[in-house]
Amino acid sequence: MSGPIPAHIEPRKLVDREIVLKGTVAAVKMPRLSALLDAPAGDVQVELAFARDEQGIATLHGHYQVEVALICQRCLEQVVVPLDSQCDVGFVTSDEAAKQLPRHYEPVVMDDEPLDLHALIEDELLLALPAVPMHPMETCQHPRGYQPDPEEPEAEKTEKPNPFSVLASLKRDT
């Protein structure tokens, strides 16, 4: 199937049919992500493959792509960062079953409620955001009024004594 990705799904039905969903989700439908951006993002390209693995575990393999505008922490100007995230989810019915999942699966505990698919996608994109967004060094511009530190004198560039060397002499005395 392709087109807009539905907001809520029944994962068990999609897993049993081995459905692949391809489409988009408007970034404006993701308020937590939108709050961190410097400018509104476009649509998130999404591909979701539902299946059972060789152990019979109900799984979802997701791939998400979008370009987001953040603030460069070096020059304080806008930087566009491409997000390209993948996840492997294992659907389980309890916390105990989640502990038994293979390590490469992120557990999602299912109950009788439909799964909020947009929230799951938003969580993955939030995890994919860089901790410190920056332009590449060669393209980053310094903010207005920036003055580089003057070169430190040659005398200060020599190695300073280690302040812990005193502790080493105390240890030898015992």
Side-chain angles (χ1 to χ4, degrees):
M1 291 176 58
S2 78
I5 300 294
H8 295 89
I9 59 163
E10 295 286 340
R12 290 181 188 100
K13 292 178 183 176
L14 298 178
V15 166
D16 291 339
R17 296 181 189 158
E18 295 188 351
I19 298 291
V20 175
L21 299 176
K22 291 182 182 181
T24 60
V25 176
V28 296
K29 293 183 179 180
M30 301 179 188
R32 294 176 294 151
L33 177 65
S34 296
L36 299 174
L37 304 180
D38 187 47
D43 290 344
V44 180
Q45 299 298 314
V46 178
E47 183 175 337
L48 306 169
F50 295 86
R52 288 199 182 274
D53 70 0
E54 58 277 349
Q55 296 175 329
I57 299 170
T59 65
L60 159 67
H61 176 75
H63 185 207
Y64 321 103
Q65 294 178 310
V66 66
E67 289 189 347
V68 296
L70 300 168
I71 297 294
C72 173
Q73 297 302 297
R74 189 179 297 134
C75 69
L76 302 178
E77 296 295 326
Q78 188 179 87
V79 59
V80 176
V81 177
L83 298 182
D84 190 345
S85 177
Q86 294 189 30
C87 73
D88 286 309
V89 170
F91 296 111
V92 293
T93 56
S94 68
D95 289 333
E96 276 305 311
K99 293 176 185 175
Q100 304 302 318
L101 274 178
R103 286 186 165 274
H104 64 278
Y105 289 127
E106 296 178 36
V108 172
V109 179
M110 295 301 307
D111 51 17
D112 295 333
E113 300 293 317
L115 175 67
D116 186 348
L117 195 53
H118 289 180
L120 178 74
I121 295 167
E122 183 177 25
D123 289 343
E124 292 301 324
L125 292 173
L126 287 169
L127 290 171
L129 286 173
V132 182
M134 288 187 279
H135 290 106
M137 188 61 134
E138 58 275 1
T139 61
C140 201
Q141 301 294 318
H142 293 295
R144 289 188 183 108
Y146 172 79
Q147 301 259 332
D149 290 336
E151 285 291 321
E152 52 184 47
E154 284 298 319
E156 292 183 22
K157 288 185 180 179
T158 61
E159 275 195 45
K160 296 178 181 175
N162 184 343
F164 297 105
S165 61
V166 174
L167 295 175
S169 67
L170 290 175
K171 187 175 179 181
R172 279 186 244 134
D173 293 343
T174 59

